[in-house]
Amino acid sequence: MQEHKFQIGQTVYFTSRPIGHMARNSTYQAVKLLPSDGSDYQYRIKNPSEAFERVARESQLEFSR
């Protein structure tokens, strides 16, 4: 299996947000690498303007520009 595409501390762009939980800024920092869910690696990500962390699949993230 491949390695994680993103690393801890890296800034990423979250491309898939659930309705009702829109953040002002859609850039996040990868704070923890999680195991694969069977088809995709997962990450714990954090936006500085939010009080909580999110879990996102690698396919929902892009490199921050």
Side-chain angles (χ1 to χ4, degrees), residues 28-48:
Y28 292 76
Q29 184 175 43
V31 295
K32 186 171 184 177
L33 307 179
L34 301 174
S36 172
D37 66 358
S39 61
D40 212 353
Y41 280 117
Q42 298 183 89
Y43 298 81
R44 192 166 281 279
I45 59 174
K46 174 81 171 85
N47 181 297

Side-chain angles (χ1 to χ4, degrees), residues 8-62:
I8 293 173
Q10 187 170 2
T11 301
V12 294
Y13 183 74
F14 188 36
T15 61
S16 179
R17 293 182 298 267
I19 295 173
H21 294 118
M22 304 294 264
R24 281 186 243 144
N25 181 350
S26 57
T27 58
Y28 292 76
Q29 184 175 43
V31 295
K32 186 171 184 177
L33 307 179
L34 301 174
S36 172
D37 66 358
S39 61
D40 212 353
Y41 280 117
Q42 298 183 89
Y43 298 81
R44 192 166 281 279
I45 59 174
K46 174 81 171 85
N47 181 297
S49 67
E50 297 177 336
F52 53 91
E53 296 178 351
R54 299 174 184 266
V55 173
R57 292 183 315 231
E58 194 166 83
S59 60
Q60 296 175 301
L61 302 174
E62 294 179 358

